[in-house]
């Protein structure tokens, strides 16, 4: 099967510290792929390398057949590679609708229109509202982002990314800090995303990972320990040792 | 996304239009306040909307002032085409210098814009044969406005001319900040990193608004040189940039009208305090500014804007 997102020997070194070591991944279209690993395993660095906020020491990133390693973050977004952040990274002074509109206008090129009123941009407004509906945020459209509940802010993180109409969505701990019941709802919203969208997510909650991922990559000390289906990972003694500190 | 024209806006411009009746003997001063308001509006576009902190915005004001002044001094005294030319030259200067400014953070931007301002000031000083240096540019002679209205000593023509230009440019700025581009500027001001993560070419947007604001500043400078028929070296001075920052902070940044309110408060206070206490007037001006900012850190308009917002959201 053709990969939508592919890395080859992706590595990152900060001084003497090897954060990521020859990580090779392949994600087909529509994948629900989780990356797990203990703290410091290099999971967020992997997302930073994929999105271009950090440059790799070695290795390549491909979106379909195009090499995107040297592209800037905003150029990769235009190739369909979009991320969310582990810590909320939003527009606190804007309303929820305005925030999502920002992304919708960037996608269509309307963001460079300095003449027409924003309110006449019905296509972008409809697209933004549809994204909010998908994540059950429509009721909060006019609420200022800083006044949103934390769980809703996590959803808005995803809404911003979805409004870019990504082909590959990278979710960096989408449920971080969200109470258990809300995190299940959040992952159900993620599970309900279009089937052709490729999703790679980092998550610490193993119940959520095993419930929603089709494949799992285990990172330890910057290198891939193993990769497989949830059933294969659950039965892997090395993974249990990493998480439980002993062999099963 | 409120877009309606408020009655306060109508009142604001109506009062200005009635200036011929309300302050007939103060028209030259009122023109200067309007020019300062336009200059502050141009600064509001980059600071209030895009978050670019600058201490050298007078560079573009001065470029516009000298461009219009030099044109008139060399025989091109037609005001409107001179104004357009000055705006274009200042906008081009803004575009050329924008890569130096938009990439940095607040501190580097302060340093670079201050440096650019000082460079241009000393350049104009050094090129005295062209600019007139410390003596100022002499021989600026304007033709009648639209071939019909001469610039008179009472400032009647100048006031109408300045008011019309400021109003048209205000409408264009208003359109800009209410457009998708204006929203993206607010996004950049709030969180440039996140804007990149949704695909925004942040530097391109900032360069565009910087050049646009520079053109506005240039038009403001040109209005000053055309209506006073003189260009002094102080159009490029650091204090003009610093006063601009004060005007906008006092009036309220990011609200479009803040620059006009701040310019009016600052210049009227300057005018009256310097006549009450010719030696130590800056002491009282400084005290007044500190009090205003302590009472409302978002400036005068920001204070009322916040009160109105909290009243609207009250149960």
């Amino acid at each position: 099967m053709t990969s939508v997102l592919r890395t080859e020997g992706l590595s990152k070194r900060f001084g003497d510290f090897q954060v990521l070591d020859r990580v090779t991944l392949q994600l087909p279209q529509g994948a629900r792929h989780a990356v797990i690993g203990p703290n410091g395993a290099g999971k967020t660095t992997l997302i930073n390398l994929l999105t271009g906020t950090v440059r790799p020491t070695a290795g390549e990133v491909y979106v379909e057949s195009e090499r995107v390693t040297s592209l800037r973050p905003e150029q990769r977004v235009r190739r369909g590679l979009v991320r969310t952040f582990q810590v909320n990274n939003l527009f606190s002074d804007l309303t929820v609708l305005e925030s999502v509109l920002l992304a919708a206008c960037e996608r269509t090129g309307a963001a460079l229109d300095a003449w027409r009123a924003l309110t006449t941009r019905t296509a972008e407004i409809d697209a933004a509202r549809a994204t909010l509906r998908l994540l059950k945020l429509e009721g909060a459209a006019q609420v200022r982002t800083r006044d949103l509940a934390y769980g809703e802010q996590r959803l808005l993180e995803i809404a911003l990314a979805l409004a870019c109409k990504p082909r590959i969505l990278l979710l960096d701990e989408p449920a971080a800090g969200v109470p258990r019941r809300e995190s299940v709802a959040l992952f159900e919203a993620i599970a309900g995303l279009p089937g052709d969208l490729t999703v790679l997510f980092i998550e610490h909650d193993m119940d959520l990972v095993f419930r929603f991922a089709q494949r799992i990559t285990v990172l330890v000390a910057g290198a891939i320990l193993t990769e497989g289906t949830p059933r294969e990972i659950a039965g892997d003694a090395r993974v249990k040792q990493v998480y439980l500190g002993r062999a099963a | 996304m409120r877009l309606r024209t408020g009655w306060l806006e109508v009142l604001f411009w109506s009062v200005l239009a009635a200036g011929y009746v309300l302050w007939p003997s103060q028209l030259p001063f009122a023109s200067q306040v309007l020019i300062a308001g336009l200059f502050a509006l141009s600064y509001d576009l980059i600071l209030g909307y895009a978050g670019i902190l600058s201490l050298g915005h007078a560079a573009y004001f001065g470029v516009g002032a000298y461009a219009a002044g030099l044109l008139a001094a060399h025989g091109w005294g037609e005001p409107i085409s001179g104004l357009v030319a000055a705006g274009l030259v200042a906008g081009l200067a803004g575009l050329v210098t924008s890569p130096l400014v938009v990439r940095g953070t607040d501190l580097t931007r302060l340093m670079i814009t201050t440096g650019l301002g000082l460079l241009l000031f000393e350049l104009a000083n050094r090129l005295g044969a062209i600019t007139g240096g410390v003596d100022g540019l002499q021989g600026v002679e304007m033709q009648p406005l639209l071939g019909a209205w001469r610039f008179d000593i009472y400032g009647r023509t100048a006031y109408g001319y300045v008011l019309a230009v400021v109003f048209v440019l205000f409408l264009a700025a208003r359109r800009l900040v209410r457009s998708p581009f204006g929203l993206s500027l607010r996004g950049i001001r709030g969180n440039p990193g996140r804007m990149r993560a949704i695909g925004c070419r942040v530097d391109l947007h900032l360069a565009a608004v910087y050049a646009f604001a520079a053109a506005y500043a240039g038009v403001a400078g040109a209005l000053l040189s055309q209506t006073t028929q003189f260009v002094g070296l102080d159009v490029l001075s650091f204090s003009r940039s610093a006063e601009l920052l004060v005007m906008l902070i006092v009036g309220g940044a990011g609200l479009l009208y803040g620059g006009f309110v701040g310019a009016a408060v600052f210049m009227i206070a300057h005018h009256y305090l310097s006549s009450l206490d010719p030696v130590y007037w800056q002491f009282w001006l400084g005290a007044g500014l500190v009090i205003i900012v302590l009472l409302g850190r978002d400036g005068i308009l920001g204070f009322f804007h916040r009160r109105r917002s909290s009243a609207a959201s009250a149960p």
Side-chain angles (χ1 to χ4, degrees), chain A residues 78 89-90 115 118-119 157, chain B residues 3 175 178 191 194 199:
Chain A
R78 289 170 195 279
N89 192 0
L90 300 166
W115 191 246
L118 188 60
T119 46
E157 269 282 341
Chain B
L3 291 187
R175 266 197 102 105
R178 292 177 174 190
N191 193 342
R194 188 57 157 133

Side-chain angles (χ1 to χ4, degrees), chain A residues 73-74 77-78 82-85 89-91 93-94 97-98 101-103 105-106 110-119 121 157 160 164, chain B residues 1 3 171-172 175-202 204-205:
Chain A
E74 60 270 27
V77 172
R78 289 170 195 279
V82 185
R83 72 173 294 180
T84 66
F85 291 82
N89 192 0
L90 300 166
F91 304 98
D93 287 338
L94 301 185
L97 179 60
E98 285 172 335
L101 257 176
L102 277 173
C105 289
E106 285 299 336
L112 284 172
D113 178 357
W115 191 246
R116 278 177 64 187
L118 188 60
T119 46
R121 284 282 177 181
E157 269 282 341
L160 277 178
C164 299
Chain B
M1 298 205 302
L3 291 187
L171 289 181
R175 266 197 102 105
L176 183 143
V177 302
R178 292 177 174 190
S179 70
F181 181 71
L183 178 67
S184 78
L185 292 180
R186 288 165 60 204
I188 291 168
R189 183 192 61 190
N191 193 342
R194 188 57 157 133
M195 285 299 285
R196 288 190 182 92
I198 58 171
C200 177
R201 286 170 286 178
V202 169
L204 177 71
H205 286 226

Side-chain angles (χ1 to χ4, degrees), chain A residues 8-192:
Chain A
E8 279 180 9
L10 205 57
S11 302
K12 182 65 189 177
R13 174 183 283 277
F14 290 111
D16 292 336
F17 184 48
Q18 187 78 41
V19 187
L20 216 61
D21 189 15
R22 288 165 290 170
V23 170
T24 297
L25 281 176
Q26 288 200 9
L27 272 71
Q29 185 173 23
R32 298 290 187 267
H33 194 118
V35 176
I36 64 171
N39 284 335
K43 302 182 297 293
T44 295
T45 302
L46 173 63
I47 287 198
N48 288 339
L49 290 171
L50 291 174
T51 53
T53 47
V54 173
R55 295 278 164 162
T57 314
E60 304 289 352
V61 180
Y62 294 90
V63 172
E64 291 185 340
S65 58
E66 185 186 3
R67 180 180 163 275
V68 298
T69 321
S70 55
L71 297 186
R72 293 192 302 274
E74 60 270 27
Q75 291 174 310
R76 297 188 197 200
V77 172
R78 289 170 195 279
R79 305 300 195 277
L81 190 58
V82 185
R83 72 173 294 180
T84 66
F85 291 82
Q86 187 179 342
V87 177
N88 286 338
N89 192 0
L90 300 166
F91 304 98
S92 58
D93 287 338
L94 301 185
T95 66
V96 169
L97 179 60
E98 285 172 335
S99 301
V100 180
L101 257 176
L102 277 173
C105 289
E106 285 299 336
R107 183 178 65 78
T108 61
L112 284 172
D113 178 357
W115 191 246
R116 278 177 64 187
L118 188 60
T119 46
T120 64
R121 284 282 177 181
T122 48
E124 284 80 8
I125 293 171
D126 290 347
R129 286 196 181 280
T131 305
L132 292 179
R133 256 197 309 279
L134 191 67
L135 293 167
K136 300 183 175 63
L137 275 174
E138 205 192 10
Q142 300 303 336
V143 176
R144 207 163 286 276
T145 298
R146 63 165 172 258
D147 297 330
L148 278 182
Y150 184 78
E152 289 176 316
Q153 291 194 10
R154 297 306 292 160
L155 282 171
L156 181 56
E157 269 282 341
I158 299 170
L160 277 178
L162 286 179
C164 299
K165 289 270 185 288
R167 284 192 289 165
I168 306 136
L169 181 60
L170 311 173
L171 302 171
D172 191 355
E173 295 195 38
V178 178
R180 176 76 191 154
R181 213 171 66 187
E182 284 182 44
S183 66
V184 172
L186 189 141
F187 263 89
E188 277 167 356
I190 293 169

Side-chain angles (χ1 to χ4, degrees), chain B residues 175-292:
Chain B
R175 266 197 102 105
L176 183 143
V177 302
R178 292 177 174 190
S179 70
F181 181 71
L183 178 67
S184 78
L185 292 180
R186 288 165 60 204
I188 291 168
R189 183 192 61 190
N191 193 342
R194 188 57 157 133
M195 285 299 285
R196 288 190 182 92
I198 58 171
C200 177
R201 286 170 286 178
V202 169
D203 290 354
L204 177 71
H205 286 226
L206 290 180
V209 76
Y210 194 75
F212 188 76
Y216 266 47
V219 169
L223 283 174
L224 184 68
S225 57
Q226 289 182 336
T227 54
T228 58
Q229 306 201 18
F230 176 76
V231 188
L233 199 54
D234 69 308
V235 290
L236 287 163
S237 67
F238 174 78
S239 64
R240 190 176 288 273
S241 293
E243 283 175 6
L244 180 71
L245 177 64
V246 170
M247 285 177 194
L248 190 60
I249 300 299
V250 165
L255 297 165
L256 275 186
Y257 284 96
F260 290 101
V261 171
V265 169
F266 185 89
M267 291 185 71
I268 291 169
H270 182 165
H271 187 72
Y272 283 102
L273 289 174
S274 59
S275 60
L276 286 174
D277 189 345
V279 182
Y280 301 111
W281 64 272
Q282 288 196 66
F283 175 88
W284 302 110
L285 185 65
L289 295 176
V290 169
I291 290 167
I292 287 174

